[in-house]
Amino acid sequence: MIRHLKRPSAAASNFHDEAVTSTVQNLISEIEKGGDKAVRELAIRFDGLDRENYRLSKSEIDACVNSISRQEREDMEFAQHQVRNFAKAQLETMHELEVETLPGVILGHKHVPVDSVGCYVPGGKYPLLASAHMTVLTAKVAGCERVITCAPPFKGTPAPLIVAAQHLAGADEIYALGGVQAVAAMAVGTETIEPVSVLAGPGNAYVAEAKRLLFGRIGIDLFAGPTEVLIVADDTVDGELVATDLLGQAEHGTNSPAVLITNSERLANDTLSEIDRLLRILPTAKIAGEAWRNHGEIMLCDTREEMLAEADRVASEHVQVMTSDDDWFLNNLKNYGALFLGARTTVAYGDKVIGTNHTLPTMRAARYTGGLWVGKFLKTCTYQKILTDQASALVGEHASRLCMMEGFAGHAEQANVRVRRYGKRNIDYATAVEPSAVEKNLEVTK
């Protein structure tokens, strides 16, 4: 039986807001009509930054890179090295394919990099430079030729740490633009910004809605909502560790769900006490505390099977497992954005440095998709070729009849003309090909 020691005080929602949709639609329309002029007006209004050209020059980029400390650069490069190495390892699992499915019939697929990618790096509330590693680097490992990136200014000027991260990750163009104006400019293009084929990266509700509305004319990584964390734990860990990990993700925003599923009442009560204590000393307690009050949840289960079922139902963005048998959950969990196994790791490692990507599905989207990875920037494209006249005629005979079953005479003729040429058969126009003697013999020997 499942009991709740704490329920969310705010009603669950999909975080969709019609007012946000209307606002974003209007802003996108302004940029479609006004181009660079509209982008500048919106940048002044929302970012507080007025420039004739929002693309940073080489000297500006160099100044940002040179302004960071040696330790900051070393830490940044360490994180990027981990992200790059894991993306490369993922890429190595993606094999191209060519197979002869029938004598003389060759089918295959290739992984073709997307030509251009626009990466958004949030930076209004916090300068989230890690998003540069996760998007720009991953697209570069995939082989994308042009990777551009936008981030809002921080306190009225391009954020040095973000710019340094964007540059070190390999960005080809860097823009000091935030919000809808950044996303729309990359997607639809302006006089000075060539549009991209795919948008990637997290953002606030307005950025997320802009990506949703633009999806179709461009590709996106995924639909993203507020950050989420789910901890599955038993009495092998203590309340301080669990509380720290819950609040560490709750500080992302006041609408960030933080959930504990446990079979230990002692751990549940200990966690509640520790959250109260930590909220008195955490510098970001105003945000984390409101998130916990509104969207925090503790569920007490009797068995690990119940814990598993509830975790799969929640389908959280981040699922942290700290139990006596973490591998059992690894082998049985189905719905999660990223999994963090054991007390030695934590969501913050994945967010910032360990190498797995932090752009992940939210709002239960983990039921049907994983997160951003190198494969998101690759198109798996198939091809076919036929090497012999006999193979073309054989496939053509079947294709002719199948097309006529559907009433597609023009399709049938594409097959028929090849049966006439390569099979040397006299086929009436726009009719189904009768089985040949060779085909009948093949059917008999199957």
Side-chain angles (χ1 to χ4, degrees):
M1 185 178 73
I2 299 167
R3 292 184 290 139
H4 275 81
L5 271 67
K6 183 191 180 306
R7 293 182 183 272
S9 62
S13 75
N14 62 4
F15 301 99
H16 185 66
D17 187 328
E18 292 296 335
V20 171
T21 298
S22 178
T23 297
V24 173
Q25 284 176 325
N26 290 334
L27 294 174
I28 292 172
S29 180
E30 286 182 40
I31 292 170
E32 287 176 316
K33 296 173 183 176
D36 284 334
K37 183 174 183 292
V39 169
R40 184 174 184 179
E41 290 171 353
L42 295 175
I44 294 169
R45 192 199 324 176
F46 294 118
D47 292 338
L49 183 63
D50 185 13
R51 295 168 57 110
E52 287 188 11
N53 190 333
Y54 286 85
R55 180 175 176 177
L56 300 188
S57 65
K58 183 179 183 303
S59 61
E60 288 177 305
I61 294 169
D62 289 344
C64 287
V65 173
N66 292 334
S67 73
I68 67 174
S69 70
R70 175 181 293 181
Q71 188 63 60
E72 288 170 334
R73 178 161 182 163
E74 288 178 358
D75 289 340
M76 203 178 293
E77 289 177 335
F78 177 86
Q80 292 194 351
H81 186 66
Q82 312 316 309
V83 174
R84 183 183 293 108
N85 279 352
F86 188 64
K88 285 181 176 179
Q90 288 182 308
L91 183 62
E92 289 172 1
T93 70
M94 299 185 67
H95 303 295
E96 296 194 343
L97 170 68
E98 187 170 281
V99 58
E100 189 171 14
T101 57
L102 290 169
V105 176
I106 306 297
L107 307 183
H109 73 225
K110 295 179 64 67
H111 301 302
V112 182
V114 172
D115 60 352
S116 56
V117 177
C119 301
Y120 186 78
V121 180
K125 188 187 302 180
Y126 305 110
L128 297 181
L129 57 102
S131 290
H133 319 329
M134 305 297 174
T135 55
V136 176
L137 256 178
T138 308
K140 280 295 185 182
V141 170
C144 302
E145 290 182 7
R146 175 175 173 255
V147 180
I148 73 173
T149 178
C150 290
F154 190 66
K155 297 179 180 179
T157 187
L161 286 169
I162 291 180
V163 173
Q166 291 167 321
H167 174 69
L168 294 173
D172 299 298
E173 303 166 25
I174 300 174
Y175 295 86
L177 280 173
V180 176
Q181 61 271 25
V183 172
M186 290 191 288
V188 305
T190 70
E191 298 91 327
T192 60
I193 302 175
E194 184 181 344
V196 299
S197 297
V198 170
L199 285 173
N204 63 19
Y206 292 88
V207 168
E209 184 63 9
K211 288 171 64 179
R212 188 183 74 85
L213 292 172
L214 289 162
F215 177 61
R217 72 172 81 183
I218 48 91
I220 65 171
D221 48 359
L222 44 77
F223 298 111
T227 292
E228 307 163 349
V229 64
L230 165 64
I231 295 178
V232 178
D234 59 20
D235 56 11
T236 59
V237 291
D238 58 78
E240 180 188 27
L241 198 64
V242 173
T244 298
D245 288 341
L246 289 169
L247 294 178
Q249 292 302 300
E251 74 176 0
H252 268 282
T254 57
N255 55 1
S256 289
V259 181
L260 169 63
I261 296 175
T262 182
N263 58 0
S264 168
E265 190 165 1
R266 179 198 62 77
L267 176 64
N269 288 319
D270 191 18
T271 298
L272 282 170
S273 298
E274 283 297 313
I275 286 175
D276 288 342
R277 180 182 70 84
L278 292 173
L279 284 175
R280 292 193 291 270
I281 59 176
L282 181 67
T284 54
K286 183 176 180 180
I287 295 172
E290 185 175 345
W292 175 249
R293 287 188 295 274
N294 291 341
H295 300 287
E297 188 173 4
I298 296 181
M299 285 179 269
L300 185 60
C301 300
D302 290 332
T303 67
R304 69 178 185 179
E305 286 77 16
E306 285 184 343
M307 294 164 70
L308 176 76
E310 284 302 293
D312 274 334
R313 180 188 62 80
V314 172
S316 183
E317 174 187 18
H318 306 102
V319 176
Q320 192 165 346
V321 177
M322 296 183 286
T323 68
S324 60
D325 192 356
D326 298 334
D327 283 343
W328 184 83
F329 286 93
L330 171 63
N331 293 330
N332 289 281
L333 273 168
K334 296 182 178 70
N335 300 334
Y336 54 88
L339 199 56
F340 303 82
L341 295 166
R344 291 183 180 86
T345 190
T346 180
V347 175
Y349 287 5
D351 279 349
K352 309 301 178 187
V353 67
I354 205 166
T356 54
N357 208 288
H358 77 186
T359 304
L360 300 166
T362 61
M363 299 183 292
R364 302 191 70 222
R367 292 170 299 149
Y368 58 81
T369 187
L372 182 62
W373 71 297
V374 69
K376 285 279 187 176
F377 299 115
L378 294 163
K379 301 173 294 181
T380 300
C381 302
T382 60
Y383 64 89
Q384 58 175 267
K385 55 186 174 181
I386 295 180
L387 305 180
T388 66
D389 292 351
Q390 295 90 332
S392 181
L394 174 64
V395 174
E397 291 179 13
H398 287 278
S400 172
R401 295 191 293 272
L402 289 164
C403 292
M404 291 304 294
M405 288 181 203
E406 297 177 348
F408 279 110
H411 282 64
E413 269 306 304
Q414 291 178 268
N416 290 352
V417 71
R418 287 166 173 79
V419 175
R420 295 185 193 108
R421 293 191 180 193
Y422 301 117
K424 310 301 183 185
R425 295 186 61 188
N426 185 20
I427 309 299
D428 289 340
Y429 189 80
T431 62
V433 176
E434 292 295 329
S436 66
V438 172
E439 188 181 344
K440 289 178 180 177
N441 289 336
L442 285 174
E443 291 294 332
V444 169
T445 58
K446 280 183 179 178

